[in-house]
């Protein structure tokens, strides 16, 4: 049984990103094995995220880290400086200030990373189903397709969170989207619609986002934040109604379909559960509970892990104690949504329209406490106060 320096269990976004950062570091010649069940040869998902334009984030500046925004810049499918929003009391553009909204297609990411990894013979990739991962005194032990593997560290993105514990908030972000080609000109390629709440809410948080590729082509996606998935027909009915009512497309063709489910949970994830196993991606708690955003946070966290491996030989990613307040904020927001304490469409309208620029810094967890207090004053007081005490009761009393 060959022993590797690193085994990456799961070759999706998190696993491939880690392998890429290792390949760009002084650790590039270490023996690395990537185990992934799927070949990753299709455009199975799209990542959208905001990021500062050219300067380092606040945490990078304070830690002396150089700006790392260019790793995937060459393969971004679209980049926007202004986004549109359609809420309860406002419809129009939102100036992102120092941020840009970016779109990266899954197939472009997979092909780029796989081409880079192919340049390094020390990095192996095997298509296999992972059966078991455990820690041993000799290292992290993996069985995949009944074959044993061992490494100094196993980076695991396959571990499944429970998502059913009553003390936690366990919502889902689920969506279905179509790339459509329309007969009529109906999109502004310079302005995506990041949230359009002109769909029936049914007591949930439901919205459409529209990412234009050109004047007649766009990804139109129906998204929900709640705890119940819909049938395929229900997603499609909402998509067709929105397209027909608000886009005036004429005849249109559907060229691509995507569907996904992302946990929005404040379950405490253990990033390093044992000496030789490190959980990454959603498995390691990288998904921001209140938004479901994962891509950009995963990139930041994995870069830190690789930097620590280079400097100390250990993959620990220390987090300042005071930064834990953002987890409390996430829990409070999830509680407001879960208990329907205030209409979600109005909450998001307040967040985005009354906190221009600041909202993106806040969601990136880069704000100061004073800035956070200013943002909180734009939210409805009693629903959030009730949520705060309910979160404390659930987390402390259980």
């Amino acid at each position: 049984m060959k022993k590797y320096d690193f085994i990456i269990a799961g070759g999706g976004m998190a696993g491939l990103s880690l392998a890429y950062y290792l390949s760009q570091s002084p650790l590039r010649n270490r023996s690395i094995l990537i185990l992934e069940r799927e070949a990753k040869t299709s455009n199975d998902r799209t990542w959208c995220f905001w990021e500062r334009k050219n300067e380092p984030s606040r945490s990078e500046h304070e830690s002396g880290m150089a700006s790392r925004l260019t790793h995937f810049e060459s393969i971004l499918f679209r980049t926007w400086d202004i986004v549109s929003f359609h809420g309860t009391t406002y419809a129009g553009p939102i100036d992102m200030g120092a941020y840009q909204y970016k779109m990266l297609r899954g197939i472009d990411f997979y092909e780029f990373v796989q081409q880079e990894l192919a340049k390094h013979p020390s990095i192996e990739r095997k298509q296999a189903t992972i059966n078991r991962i455990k820690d041993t005194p000799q290292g992290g032990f993996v069985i995949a397709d009944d074959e044993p593997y061992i490494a100094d560290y196993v980076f695991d993105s396959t571990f499944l969170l429970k998502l059913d514990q009553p003390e936690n908030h366990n919502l889902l972000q689920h969506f279905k989207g179509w790339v459509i080609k329309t007969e009529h000109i109906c999109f502004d390629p310079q302005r995506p619609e990041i949230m359009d709440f002109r769909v029936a809410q049914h007591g949930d948080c439901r919205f459409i986002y529209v990412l234009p590729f050109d004047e007649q082509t766009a990804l139109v996606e129906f998204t929900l934040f709640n705890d119940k998935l819909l049938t395929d027909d229900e997603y499609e009915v909402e998509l067709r109604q929105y397209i027909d009512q608000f886009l005036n497309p004429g005849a249109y063709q559907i060229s691509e379909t995507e569907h996904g489910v992302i946990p929005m949970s404040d379950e405490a994830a253990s990033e390093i559960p044992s000496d030789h196993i490190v959980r990454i991606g959603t498995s390691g708690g990288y998904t921001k509970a209140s938004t479901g955003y994962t891509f950009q946070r995963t990139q930041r966290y994995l870069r830190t892990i690789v930097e620590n491996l280079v400097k100390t030989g250990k993959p620990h990613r220390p987090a300042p104690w005071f930064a834990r307040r953002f987890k409390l904020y996430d829990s409070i927001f999830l509680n407001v949504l879960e208990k329907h304490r205030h209409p979600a469409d109005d909450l998001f309208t307040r967040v985005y329209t009354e906190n221009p620029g600041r909202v993106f810094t806040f969601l990136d967890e880069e704000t100061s406490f004073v800035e956070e207090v200013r943002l909180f004053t734009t939210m409805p007081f009693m629903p959030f106060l009730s949520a705060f005490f309910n979160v404390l009761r659930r987390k402390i009393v259980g």
Side-chain angles (χ1 to χ4, degrees):
M1 179 174 56
K2 179 179 177 181
K3 184 173 184 179
Y4 294 85
D5 292 308
F6 309 121
I7 292 176
I8 299 175
M13 182 268 288
L16 288 178
S17 295
L18 175 60
Y20 173 78
Y21 291 126
L22 287 169
S23 76
Q24 304 299 301
S25 79
L27 303 175
R28 63 180 61 88
N29 294 322
R30 298 288 186 90
S31 57
I32 301 170
L33 174 64
I34 305 170
L35 296 169
E36 167 58 37
R37 180 178 58 189
E38 300 173 352
K40 297 298 180 186
T41 56
S42 64
N43 189 43
D44 58 352
R45 65 195 62 223
T46 300
W47 295 291
C48 293
F49 54 98
W50 52 77
E51 198 169 43
R52 289 180 180 269
K53 294 177 182 177
N54 296 308
E55 71 274 21
S57 67
R58 179 176 297 176
S59 63
E60 289 174 330
H61 178 76
E62 292 173 353
S63 66
M65 293 170 58
S67 176
R68 303 298 183 87
L69 307 184
T70 58
H71 279 286
F72 304 119
E73 289 291 303
S74 64
I75 57 170
L76 290 175
F77 190 65
R78 292 290 185 277
T79 301
W80 297 280
D81 292 321
I82 296 177
V83 297
S84 286
F85 177 90
H86 203 296
T88 53
T89 59
Y90 175 83
I94 296 176
D95 190 342
M96 301 190 69
Y99 288 83
Q100 289 180 316
Y101 196 64
K102 301 180 178 183
M103 178 182 180
L104 176 59
R105 301 194 324 151
I107 189 62
D108 298 330
F109 172 81
Y110 301 142
E111 290 179 351
F112 173 80
V113 174
Q114 289 166 2
Q115 289 171 6
E116 288 297 316
L117 299 184
K119 299 174 184 177
H120 302 277
S122 62
I123 301 177
E124 299 179 38
R125 298 181 66 234
K126 293 186 179 181
Q127 192 170 340
T129 299
I130 295 170
N131 309 117
R132 185 182 183 190
I133 298 173
K134 71 172 184 177
D135 202 6
T136 72
Q138 293 74 37
F141 185 74
V142 181
I143 297 178
D145 284 349
D146 299 322
E147 291 290 329
Y149 306 92
I150 194 167
D152 291 335
Y153 289 107
V154 173
F155 296 91
D156 179 20
S157 65
T158 66
F159 178 81
L160 299 177
L161 302 177
K162 294 185 178 67
L163 302 178
D164 62 359
Q165 302 303 296
E167 69 272 18
N168 302 320
H169 302 83
N170 299 298
L171 301 182
L172 301 170
Q173 178 186 144
H174 48 112
F175 52 86
K176 185 165 188 175
W178 292 335
V179 174
I180 62 171
K181 179 73 174 180
T182 64
E183 177 185 7
H184 299 159
I185 291 175
C186 53
F187 304 116
D188 179 353
Q190 304 304 316
R191 187 174 294 178
E193 190 91 42
I194 61 169
M195 278 186 157
D196 189 337
F197 283 98
R198 290 178 295 175
V199 292
Q201 295 297 294
H202 298 291
D204 293 327
C205 176
R206 301 183 175 207
F207 59 93
I208 298 282
Y209 70 82
V210 180
L211 303 179
F213 302 171
D214 55 46
E215 292 180 331
Q216 293 176 266
T217 312
L219 171 63
V220 182
E221 197 145 285
F222 174 50
T223 302
L224 303 88
F225 297 168
N226 64 13
D227 59 353
K228 293 181 177 63
L229 302 181
L230 305 183
T231 66
D232 283 342
D233 286 345
E234 288 175 310
Y235 292 107
E236 293 185 4
V237 165
E238 295 289 348
L239 283 167
R240 292 192 187 280
Q241 287 181 347
Y242 179 88
I243 292 169
D244 293 340
Q245 184 174 356
F246 299 113
L247 297 184
N248 186 30
Y252 63 89
Q253 295 179 329
I254 302 169
S255 60
E256 294 183 34
T257 299
E258 69 174 36
H259 183 272
V261 181
I262 301 171
M264 298 176 66
S265 173
D266 57 356
E267 177 180 335
S270 179
E271 187 175 17
I272 303 183
S274 55
D275 290 342
H276 304 99
I277 296 174
V278 181
R279 292 176 184 155
I280 61 175
T282 298
S283 300
Y286 293 3
T287 297
K288 185 166 177 61
S290 60
T291 64
Y293 277 89
T294 306
F295 183 87
Q296 199 254 12
R297 287 162 61 90
T298 297
Q299 305 309 311
R300 283 191 290 154
Y301 293 173
L302 292 179
R303 291 196 300 261
T304 301
I305 285 176
V306 171
E307 288 171 355
N308 288 341
L309 275 170
V310 171
K311 294 176 182 177
T312 69
K314 296 184 180 298
H316 298 85
R317 185 181 61 84
W321 179 86
F322 194 50
R324 298 177 186 176
R325 69 191 186 278
F326 289 101
K327 293 186 180 297
L328 174 61
Y329 302 159
D330 285 341
S331 294
I332 293 170
F333 189 75
L334 288 176
N335 189 277
V336 172
L337 292 180
E338 179 191 86
K339 299 297 184 181
H340 309 290
R341 299 185 187 276
H342 192 86
D345 52 357
D346 184 62
L347 288 179
F348 280 100
T349 301
R350 294 184 185 214
V351 166
Y352 279 104
T353 61
E354 298 184 30
N355 299 277
R358 184 189 303 134
V359 61
F360 301 107
T361 309
F362 174 72
L363 294 174
D364 268 354
E365 302 183 358
E366 296 285 348
T367 43
S368 67
F369 184 68
V370 172
E371 291 171 317
E372 291 149 25
V373 171
R374 290 173 181 163
L375 184 144
F376 298 154
T377 61
T378 66
M379 295 291 97
F381 179 73
M382 287 307 300
F384 277 81
L385 182 64
S386 300
F388 171 73
F389 285 112
N390 188 250
V391 167
L392 292 184
R393 183 186 64 79
R394 288 169 68 163
K395 295 294 186 181
I396 296 175
V397 178

